[in-house]
Amino acid sequence: NKLGKLRLYNLILGFEKDLTITYSGEKSEIIADLMKKIVIDDKFIEVIPIKAVLENNIALSKQDYVEKVYHSKDKDDKDVESLVENKNLNQISKENLNIFDNFTSVSASFLESYFACPFYSFLMNVLKVKPREKIEIQSFDIGSILHNVIDVYYKKNKQVGEIYNFVRDEIYKYIQQNERLKFNINSPIIMNLIDESIRVIQGLDYIDSNSNFVPKYFEKEFNYNSSLKLKNINLRGKIDRVDEIDNTLRVIDYKSGRADASLKELFYGKKLQLFLYSCAIEEIEKKKVVGSFYLPLHNKYSSDTDNAYALKGFFFNDELVVKNMDNRLVPGMKSDIVNIKMSKNGQANKTIGNKELEYQDFERLKSYSKEVSENAVEEIKSGYIKPSPIDIGKMCEYCPYVHVCMKECNGLKYRESKVVNLESFKRGEE
């Protein structure tokens, strides 16, 4: 179990004065390998094998082994404890950088996780240290099931007969084909998923019927041959949906989790996906993206007059673009599809902050997303893995690796974010 090995390795690195390791049976190759790795410098740290005796009040049998690590001093009798107190790994050693030899492509989620915390991203995406799978339906399973239902619905051109039967059959089929999920076939969660899937489909139909944009692609995959380049590294990904009208495009990404799109999260790299996908599809289609949105796929309380599945994101504030987003709009009317209120002069009022963008600002955000991603690619390839989470979202509270990075014993603090507006991106470019 990679997570177990990594936790053991970090425990070994975490000693302050001395460390005693005991293990039974023949000497473990894993332990021996780890003991070699913690020899930082022969002058400072020594590893000494000790016979099976009563040591430090630890009762041992004849089959037990003990190895003791202690701090020594260099020729100048300088205490080296300060060297070991800096336990956090900041950089992969040069001899281990070959781990990136096959680093030819990167996903938007990889980049977002790097900006959230480089150490978390390294464990998740490079070492691929995964927590043990659970039989229960997880939040990511719900997202996958909803994605699948939507995909099949559109592949059949909405000709699915009675909607309840269609959704029920697709969900059961998906679960029965998954070895881990099939144990949940009678779970009450399934009934909630059926109801939620029906509401999502109705929400999508509502958007389609009141928009001039026409769906062109579903699950549009891009990778090595047609991808956006980030410092000679291919951006790979799959866009849930691309809509089209004339020579303009609209990018939509389904979100089963929090679907808010903010300038702050974009600035600090936590929400790059919408604009990176926009750059990628523009490379492929040679057409302009005028709007990029998240579409929430989750239970939400709402009144009968609210559309719980309204698009959340950024768009070009142009009269024609706005009317294509919602073809019912007239001056003074507020849309429940993209949260736009049209003013008397035909412009969208700022109802959701700086997300109704002038053309130059919309282009600037796309350019910024690409440039900051290229910087991240360079840093990742250099082996930078310092545990340094951003304070947006407080991810350490649910991070599966919090006991590995030793955040608690080292007093690791969050990187502080600041207030962000459109001017921040201009300064960021500089």
Side-chain angles (χ1 to χ4, degrees), residues 193-226:
L193 268 173
I194 293 173
D195 292 340
E196 181 65 18
S197 297
I198 293 173
R199 287 194 293 270
V200 168
I201 287 175
Q202 291 171 341
L204 289 170
D205 285 342
Y206 184 75
I207 292 173
D208 293 343
S209 62
N210 294 303
S211 171
N212 291 336
F213 280 91
V214 177
K216 183 175 184 179
Y217 297 118
F218 295 96
E219 303 288 326
K220 176 64 175 177
E221 194 167 2
F222 56 91
N223 45 40
Y224 306 101
N225 297 323
S226 57

Side-chain angles (χ1 to χ4, degrees), residues 305-411:
T305 59
D306 288 338
N307 175 25
Y309 303 100
L311 300 172
K312 296 184 177 182
F314 306 89
F315 59 92
F316 176 31
N317 190 0
D318 172 81
E319 181 179 0
L320 182 59
V321 170
V322 168
K323 287 186 176 180
N324 282 332
M325 295 287 181
D326 188 339
N327 53 31
R328 304 165 299 171
L329 278 175
V330 294
M333 176 182 170
K334 183 179 183 300
S335 170
D336 58 355
I337 292 178
V338 282
N339 201 14
I340 298 170
K341 183 177 180 180
M342 183 175 284
S343 63
K344 293 181 179 179
N345 62 5
Q347 290 290 307
N349 287 334
K350 289 183 169 24
T351 56
I352 50 174
N354 292 310
K355 298 178 185 177
E356 311 84 358
L357 304 168
E358 300 303 320
Y359 179 77
Q360 63 271 20
D361 291 322
F362 194 80
E363 292 299 304
R364 173 175 283 114
L365 296 189
K366 285 192 288 189
S367 175
Y368 179 87
S369 300
K370 182 180 177 182
E371 290 179 19
V372 78
S373 297
E374 289 177 337
N375 291 342
V377 165
E378 289 294 306
E379 291 180 9
I380 291 168
K381 290 170 64 178
S382 73
Y384 183 76
I385 58 171
K386 183 178 180 179
S388 51
I390 189 73
D391 62 0
I392 304 172
K394 305 292 185 182
M395 68 171 294
C396 292
E397 296 178 5
Y398 55 85
C399 175
Y401 309 119
V402 67
H403 300 297
V404 178
C405 80
M406 302 170 65
K407 172 184 181 294
E408 294 176 358
C409 65
N410 282 340

